[in-house]
Structures are given as C-alpha cells and as structure tokens.
Amino acid sequence: MEQKNDLKFFLLEFHGNYIPLQGVEYIIKAAKILEKYPDIKFKLIGNGQTYPKAKKLAEDLKVKNIEFISERVPYESIPAFINGADICLGIFGSGDKTQRVIPNKLYEAVAMKKAVITGDTPGIKEIFTDQKDIMLCRVADEKDLAEKILILKNNPELKEKIALNGYQTFQKNATPQVVAAQLIIDLKEKLKLYD
C-alpha cells in the first residue's frame, strides 16, 4: 500500500491516537489558517478518544484541506504515509505529558529522513535542537504552527537540512542498538551501587 504525494500538493502528515497529548485541534485550526494556500494539504491518520471532537471542529470550521483517515491502518503501512509527506507533525497539546515525552511518531519520521514540526517542550529538547534537526513551535498555538509550516514550505533548503540532521540525530541517539547499549551501561552503574 504505497502512498504517494501528488506533486502539486505540499502534504503534512499526522498519525496517532487521538488523545489530548496530540493536540489535534491545533493542527485543524492551523489547517484552517492555511486554507488560503490551495497547494497545502493535511492527512490525519488515526482515531480515538478526541476524534469525534476533532472531526466536529473541522466540520464547524468548514476546513477543506484535511483528509481524515479514521479506519484502522496497519502499523506496517504507516511508513508509506510518512514517505508521501513533505513534513510530518508531532505533538501540540498543552498537558503535562506533552512536556515530558518524545513520541514514537517523531522517531519514525526522522528515521525516514523527514522534517518534523512539533511542540517546543523540555522532553523534545533533550535530544533535538530547533531549526537544526527539528522545527519547534509553541504548544497549543495554531498560529505559530501555521507559521512554521510556511517557513519550511517556503525554504526547501532548511526543510532538507532539518530532515538530514534529524536522521543523523536519530542514528546517533535513538536506534535500538544505541538505546540498548546505553541501557546496559545504566544497569551496570546501578548494579555497582549494590556491590
């Protein structure tokens, strides 16, 4: 199931469970702001707790540049959606958990050399650097999200630099081998405490 981006569109991809952490409502509001750019399209893949509210918000705002895919998509099909995107979207919610986590979807996108826009949080900044290997925006702020989308759309060199650097950051810090090696080091250090 290959997903290709129609070359005339600049496609933003989101996938995940609809929970408050994601802040999907801010993606929808940013999409509404960007409707004046007919080549910008959004593809939102997922379902869950906040999906009905998000879908109603899109209907109430009469947003026309979003495609919702709410049926279950097999996990192994997600890379095709990521591959078809120009930019992948992370998390934008305002809750405490948003401040602490780096979501799997972010790692999935940077591992495929895609530029990512996500909320500016302490958790994200533990590994990533704004405008070097990721694009950060204020959480719970659709205007800032829309602005960051336009920055990357209008600056393909920056978008490609962020995508490549994000991939390199992933390779250095987050592959299963790197994470497992660090876990072993940490466990050995902890065990020394009990000698």
Side-chain angles (χ1 to χ4, degrees):
M1 174 173 169
E2 187 170 346
Q3 301 294 320
K4 293 249 182 202
N5 181 9
D6 185 332
L7 295 177
K8 66 182 179 177
F9 292 125
F10 188 83
L11 184 63
L12 294 113
E13 182 269 351
F14 164 88
H15 66 275
N17 291 321
Y18 280 65
I19 55 176
L21 161 83
Q22 308 284 9
V24 176
E25 65 270 28
Y26 302 105
I27 297 172
I28 293 168
K29 291 175 186 176
K32 183 63 179 178
I33 291 168
L34 296 171
E35 271 188 333
K36 59 188 166 196
Y37 301 93
D39 59 332
I40 296 178
K41 302 291 180 191
F42 292 75
K43 190 172 285 195
L44 308 184
I45 304 153
N47 207 323
Q49 173 188 352
T50 64
Y51 178 80
K53 186 177 174 183
K55 189 76 161 109
K56 183 174 183 332
L57 174 63
E59 290 166 2
D60 290 348
L61 293 175
K62 297 180 174 52
V63 181
K64 296 180 177 35
N65 56 354
I66 297 178
E67 177 186 356
F68 287 93
I69 301 175
S70 61
E71 67 273 4
R72 190 182 179 302
V73 172
Y75 186 72
E76 58 272 10
S77 297
I78 295 298
F81 287 102
I82 294 170
N83 190 48
D86 292 288
I87 296 174
C88 295
L89 300 173
I91 55 176
F92 306 96
S94 60
D96 290 341
K97 186 175 180 184
T98 306
Q99 299 295 312
R100 297 188 307 266
V101 302
I102 300 175
N104 285 340
K105 75 171 108 209
L106 195 146
Y107 289 122
E108 293 161 355
V110 297
M112 292 184 65
K113 293 186 183 175
K114 290 294 177 175
V116 174
I117 301 175
T118 196
D120 184 348
T121 67
I124 297 293
K125 290 197 254 188
E126 284 183 19
I127 295 180
F128 295 96
T129 304
D130 187 30
Q131 297 193 41
K132 177 182 178 257
D133 50 20
I134 201 160
M135 177 65 84
L136 299 178
C137 69
R138 291 186 296 272
V139 295
D141 187 336
E142 64 273 9
K143 290 178 184 171
D144 197 41
L145 174 56
E147 180 182 311
K148 298 302 169 57
I149 290 168
L150 288 175
I151 288 170
L152 291 185
K153 177 183 184 293
N154 295 325
N155 191 338
E157 296 82 17
L158 177 61
K159 181 176 79 73
E160 291 308 313
K161 178 191 97 166
I162 287 172
L164 179 59
N165 289 341
Y167 175 76
Q168 292 170 344
T169 297
F170 172 78
Q171 291 294 317
K172 181 180 175 188
N173 297 294
T175 64
Q177 295 81 2
V178 171
V179 172
Q182 186 60 51
L183 181 60
I184 290 168
I185 291 167
D186 292 347
L187 285 172
K188 285 180 179 178
E189 288 298 315
K190 293 284 184 195
L191 290 173
K192 284 181 186 176
L193 295 174
Y194 299 105
D195 284 345

